[in-house]
Amino acid sequence: AQKVTQAQTEISVVEKEDVTLDCVYETRDTTYYLFWYKQPPSGELVFLIRRNSFDEQNEISGRYSWNFQKSTSSFNFTITASQVVDSAVYFCALSEDRRNAGNMLTFGGGTRLMVKP
Amino acid sequence: SAVISQKPSRDICQRGTSLTIQCQVDSQVTMMFWYRQQPGQSLTLIATANQGSEATYESGFVIDKFPISRPNLTFSTLTVSNMSPEDSSIYLCSAGRQGAGDTQYFGPGTRLTVL
C-alpha cells in the first residue's frame, strides 16, 4: 500500500525566511508520480508540480524549488524568501495507477505554513 | 489543465436531509473523482465517477450514502444522503485523464456543515 508522510504538521516563519516542507513516501511501484498541492484558506486545491519516478532532476519555479531524492524516498519543497501570501496548507501526494480504476492520489497529512509579516 | 466549478460553494443543512453537489469541467475528461476533507484533515477519495455506469467506491464509502451520477464527460454529481454532523466536511471534485500519473485538477470545494 502506498503512504505519504508529512511529518511537519505546522510551520511558522517570518516573512523573507526560507522554509522547507518535507515529504516522505512509500510505494512498491517502480513507476510512480509525485505531486504538491497548495490549499489556501479559501479551500481550493491548487496544483503546483508533478514529477515522475524516473526524473530526479531538481526543479525551480520562481521562489519555489523541489528536491526529489529516490534514495531516501523524499520529495521536499522549499519556498525561498517566503511571503504572507504563501500561508496555506501544502499537501504532498503520490499517484498509483490502478489501470481501469484510474489514478488514485494518496495524500499526506498536509503541512500548515504560516508566514508572519 | 482543466477548470472545474462546483455548486454550491457552501451549505448548512439539517440532520437527516440530503444535499446534491454539482461538478462541471470545462473540457471533456476521462476521469472524475470525489474526495472528502474532514475538518483539519487530509483528503480521502470517496469514489471514481464513471461515465454511463456505476461509480467505483473506496473502502468505507457506500452508494446508499454517497450516490454519484456522471451523465456525460464534463459533469458529475455527488449526493450526501441522510446527513449527520459527522458529514460536515469539504467535498472536492477532481478531474483528469486516465493515463498513469496524469495530474488531477480540483474544483473549489463545497463546505458542508450539518447541524
Side-chain angles (χ1 to χ4, degrees):
Chain A
Q2 300 198 137
K3 185 178 178 183
V4 178
T5 302
Q6 294 178 254
Q8 307 147 307
T9 55
E10 210 166 281
I11 300 176
S12 182
V13 299
V14 177
E15 209 170 17
K16 297 185 184 176
E17 283 185 20
D18 299 347
V19 58
T20 295
L21 310 182
D22 297 333
C23 173
V24 175
Y25 61 92
E26 296 175 27
T27 180
R28 293 180 186 169
D29 294 345
T30 53
T31 302
Y32 52 89
Y33 297 80
L34 295 159
F35 300 82
W36 276 95
Y37 288 88
K38 174 182 179 180
Q39 188 176 42
S42 52
E44 78 274 21
L45 222 60
V46 178
F47 165 72
L48 295 178
I49 190 170
R50 164 186 174 272
R51 300 309 298 267
N52 73 55
S53 53
F54 298 108
D55 182 2
E56 290 193 66
Q57 201 166 17
N58 292 333
E59 183 153 342
I60 299 174
S61 176
R63 295 184 298 107
Y64 295 171
S65 62
W66 290 269
N67 184 322
F68 176 31
Q69 294 203 342
K70 221 169 172 177
S71 59
T72 56
S73 297
S74 66
F75 186 42
N76 297 336
F77 173 30
T78 298
I79 301 174
T80 303
S82 59
Q83 300 176 1
V84 173
V85 293
D86 296 326
S87 297
V89 180
Y90 291 86
F91 290 98
C92 180
L94 174 65
S95 176
E96 173 189 15
D97 182 13
R98 301 185 300 175
R99 302 293 178 183
N100 293 331
N103 298 340
M104 175 178 179
L105 277 179
T106 300
F107 283 86
T111 297
R112 181 178 299 277
L113 174 64
M114 292 175 290
V115 182
K116 299 177 181 176
Chain B
S1 65
V3 177
I4 302 169
S5 58
Q6 280 185 238
K7 288 195 297 187
S9 58
R10 58 177 65 229
D11 208 340
I12 300 173
C13 300
Q14 296 297 320
R15 180 195 298 261
T17 62
S18 298
L19 175 72
T20 295
I21 303 168
Q22 298 179 8
C23 177
Q24 180 75 52
V25 188
D26 69 339
S27 57
Q28 292 190 348
V29 291
T30 305
M31 309 300 293
M32 293 182 74
F33 306 87
W34 287 98
Y35 289 81
R36 181 177 74 182
Q37 185 179 21
Q38 294 177 300
Q41 302 297 313
S42 186
L43 284 78
T44 301
L45 180 64
I46 297 172
T48 303
N50 300 310
Q51 193 253 329
S53 63
E54 195 171 285
T56 305
Y57 289 84
E58 299 300 316
S59 176
F61 298 96
V62 295
I63 188 171
D64 289 345
K65 176 66 177 177
F66 297 102
I68 288 171
S69 79
R70 188 175 173 195
N72 56 53
L73 289 174
T74 64
F75 185 78
S76 177
T77 66
L78 167 75
T79 298
V80 186
S81 304
N82 188 24
M83 289 183 285
S84 66
E86 292 71 37
D87 294 319
S88 298
S89 298
I90 299 175
Y91 291 86
L92 296 110
C93 168
S94 75
R97 296 180 297 172
Q98 191 164 353
D102 283 334
T103 300
Q104 288 185 30
Y105 294 94
F106 285 79
T110 296
R111 287 181 186 269
L112 171 62
T113 302
V114 184
L115 303 177

